[in-house]
């Protein structure tokens, strides 16, 4: 399955299991990279990372940080798949 980098407006192909292309991954602060890697590894056996609030929040923070860096301080990527997954996981957590 081919997929693209999850950074805002990036169409670079990435390998399965990768979140961002290398250029965008290098823009993510190291603590956020560590969180994403650790939570992905801890939850990947049953795709639990897709509902893990810590993992999803770190992904959204990374995507939005890249968007602000590339498109200006007020910019957020906003409506990508990780944003939707995070909103859904938060709703489930409130139920």
């Amino acid at each position: 399955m081919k997929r693209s980098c999850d950074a805002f407006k990036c169409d670079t192909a990435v390998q399965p299991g990768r979140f961002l292309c290398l250029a965008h991954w290098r823009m993510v602060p190291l603590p956020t990279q560590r969180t994403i890697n650790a939570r992905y590894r801890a939850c990947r056996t049953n795709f639990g990372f897709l509902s893990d609030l810590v993992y999803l929040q770190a992904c959204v923070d990374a995507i939005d940080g890249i968007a602000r860096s590339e498109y200006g301080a007020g910019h957020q990527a906003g409506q990508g798949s990780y944003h939707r997954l995070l909103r859904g996981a938060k709703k489930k957590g409130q139920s």
Side-chain angles (χ1 to χ4, degrees):
M1 182 169 137
K2 298 247 181 183
R3 57 181 313 279
S4 296
C5 174
D6 284 297
F8 185 64
K9 294 188 178 185
C10 183
D11 294 327
T12 302
V14 295
Q15 296 176 355
R18 299 283 184 216
F19 168 55
L20 300 167
C21 66
L22 186 57
H24 282 119
W25 182 247
R26 288 181 174 158
M27 295 175 73
V28 177
L30 284 176
T32 305
Q33 287 183 11
R34 289 183 188 113
T35 298
I36 290 168
N37 284 332
R39 299 306 301 164
Y40 178 80
R41 286 185 187 111
C43 301
R44 73 177 168 198
T45 55
N46 63 352
F47 294 96
F49 59 90
L50 295 175
S51 61
D52 183 85
L53 287 173
V54 174
Y55 171 79
L56 294 171
Q57 185 64 62
C59 290
V60 165
D61 292 346
I63 291 167
D64 287 345
I66 292 166
R68 283 190 300 275
S69 177
E70 292 183 330
Y71 297 99
H75 192 84
Q76 280 188 302
Q79 301 303 314
S81 60
Y82 285 92
H83 292 79
R84 287 189 299 275
L85 287 167
L86 179 60
R87 284 193 300 274
K90 284 181 176 179
K91 281 184 185 179
K92 274 187 176 179
Q94 292 174 354
S95 300

